[in-house]
């Protein structure tokens, strides 16, 4: 993560960050002329004042520039660098909920929108943490935060030096590791009960060959159309919810 200041953009992500007491926030930027009667804006102001934040009213043009013309909805937070979790934090998150760990490993996901979407679904599907590599992967940026719709505040993300070593450590700790490939077990048969980790490969190349060798079982999403691949966040969403279904059956 960058060591300089970053931003959280958009109303729902801003509310989630303000409610997260562990998030270091430097300043709230509010678009001049924004209606103070709007319920979300009122909530943002109340939370910001409760944390004794500096509130700057600025023109929309400044917010457009600061957000690189993303849809900021008139509100932005200046924050300290996003904090990464440790592997122990991910296991502790599962233990706190009295559940077997359910983890997602992302092998070189480079698109921040995909990472944000995956975090959003991970939060909804009860994933206890996401693991990303330090190199050749997008980190926790303001675009990821915006796309995650606040999930970045609730799903711990661990950044590791070597995914192969990390997978071996997970297996030593009793975690079954599943990968995704064009050939494998139909994902609808996947039973993710017990300690499980799911590897999602990169948008273009899939799971790296060395990492594939560490996987306990490969899963595949059957496709009958002409396009024989799915966007990484879509594939991750399908598989995470199959994990959810097997862990929380009707």
């Amino acid at each position: 993560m960058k060591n300089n200041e970053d931003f959280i953009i958009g109303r729902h992500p801003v509310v989630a960050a303000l409610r997260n007491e562990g998030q270091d926030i430097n300043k709230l930027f509010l678009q001049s002329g924004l209606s103070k009667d709007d319920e979300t804006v009122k909530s943002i102001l109340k939370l910001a004042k409760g944390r004794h934040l500096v509130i700057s009213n600025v023109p929309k043009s400044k917010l457009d520039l600061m957000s690189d013309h993303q849809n900021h909805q008139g509100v932005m937070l200046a924050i300290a660098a996003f904090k990464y979790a440790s592997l122990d934090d991910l296991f502790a998150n599962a233990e706190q909920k009295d559940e077997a760990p359910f983890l997602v490993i992302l092998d070189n996901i480079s698109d921040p929108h995909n990472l944000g979407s995956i975090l959003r679904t991970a939060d909804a599907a009860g994933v206890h943490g996401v693991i990303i590599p330090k190199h050749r992967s997008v980190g926790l940026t303001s675009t990821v935060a915006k796309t995650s719709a606040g999930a970045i505040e609730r799903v711990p993300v661990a950044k590791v030096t070597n995914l192969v070593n990390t997978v071996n450590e997970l297996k030593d700790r009793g975690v079954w590791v599943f990968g995704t490939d064009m050939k494998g077990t139909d994902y609808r048969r996947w039973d993710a009960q017990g300690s499980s980790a799911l590897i999602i490969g990169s948008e273009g190349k899939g799971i790296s060959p060395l990492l594939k060798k560490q996987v306990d079982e490969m899963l595949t999403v059957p496709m009958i159309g002409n396009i024989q691949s799915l966007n990484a966040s879509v594939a991750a969403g399908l598989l995470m919810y199959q994990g959810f279904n097997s862990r929380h059956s009707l």
Side-chain angles (χ1 to χ4, degrees):
M1 181 62 197
K2 298 178 292 184
N3 292 322
N4 60 347
E5 196 170 61
D6 210 328
F7 298 100
I8 289 179
I9 301 162
R11 297 188 181 188
H12 292 303
V14 163
V15 169
L18 288 168
R19 286 177 175 163
N20 179 7
E21 295 181 1
Q23 174 68 65
D24 293 327
I25 301 173
N26 299 329
K27 184 185 291 187
L28 169 66
F29 291 94
L30 205 63
Q31 182 177 313
S32 301
L34 210 60
S35 173
K36 303 299 191 296
D37 293 327
D38 182 282
E39 290 301 320
T40 306
V41 173
K42 284 199 291 187
S43 177
I44 288 170
L45 285 169
K46 183 178 179 181
L47 288 166
K49 289 173 181 176
R51 295 185 63 157
H52 307 290
L53 296 180
V54 174
I55 301 172
S56 293
N57 289 283
V58 297
K60 180 178 181 295
S61 57
K62 181 169 182 177
L63 293 181
D64 289 342
L65 189 63
M66 291 165 59
S67 67
D68 196 23
H69 299 279
Q70 296 184 67
N71 182 21
H72 51 71
Q73 300 174 303
V75 292
M76 290 176 60
L77 291 176
I79 61 169
F82 288 99
K83 294 178 180 177
Y84 290 96
S86 67
L87 279 183
D88 287 339
D89 292 331
L90 273 54
F91 279 88
N93 188 29
E95 186 176 358
Q96 185 179 15
K97 297 172 182 176
D98 197 25
E99 296 172 345
F102 182 24
L103 308 175
V104 170
I105 302 167
L106 303 180
D107 184 16
N108 299 335
I109 298 295
S110 59
D111 186 335
H113 296 93
N114 275 344
L115 177 54
S117 295
I118 289 168
L119 289 175
R120 186 172 182 172
T121 306
D123 181 41
V127 171
H128 299 112
V130 172
I131 300 168
I132 63 174
K134 282 186 178 179
H135 307 293
R136 297 183 300 279
S137 173
V138 66
L140 298 182
T141 67
S142 56
T143 301
V144 172
K146 168 67 175 172
T147 310
S148 79
I152 198 171
E153 307 294 340
R154 296 184 292 273
V155 180
V157 178
K159 182 184 271 190
V160 300
T161 304
N162 187 298
L163 284 181
V164 172
N165 291 344
T166 298
V167 164
N168 284 327
E169 181 179 343
L170 292 178
K171 293 170 80 171
D172 287 342
R173 295 173 74 159
V175 177
W176 286 85
V177 179
F178 300 86
T180 49
D181 200 10
M182 295 298 292
K183 295 181 180 179
T185 303
D186 189 312
Y187 85 103
R188 293 170 294 179
R189 299 185 183 277
W190 180 35
D191 185 352
Q193 293 187 62
S195 300
S196 303
L198 170 69
I199 304 175
I200 301 295
S202 66
E203 293 91 345
K205 298 180 180 178
I207 300 174
S208 58
L210 283 176
L211 198 55
K212 266 187 183 181
K213 293 180 179 179
Q214 314 305 318
V215 172
D216 292 309
E217 184 177 1
M218 282 294 182
L219 306 172
T220 189
V221 178
M223 287 172 272
I224 59 174
N226 292 328
I227 298 175
Q228 290 299 302
S229 64
L230 292 173
N231 171 276
S233 65
V234 173
L238 286 170
L239 288 151
M240 281 188 276
Y241 260 95
Q242 174 57 26
F244 173 87
N245 287 338
S246 63
R247 293 165 71 95
H248 305 276
S249 58
L250 292 173

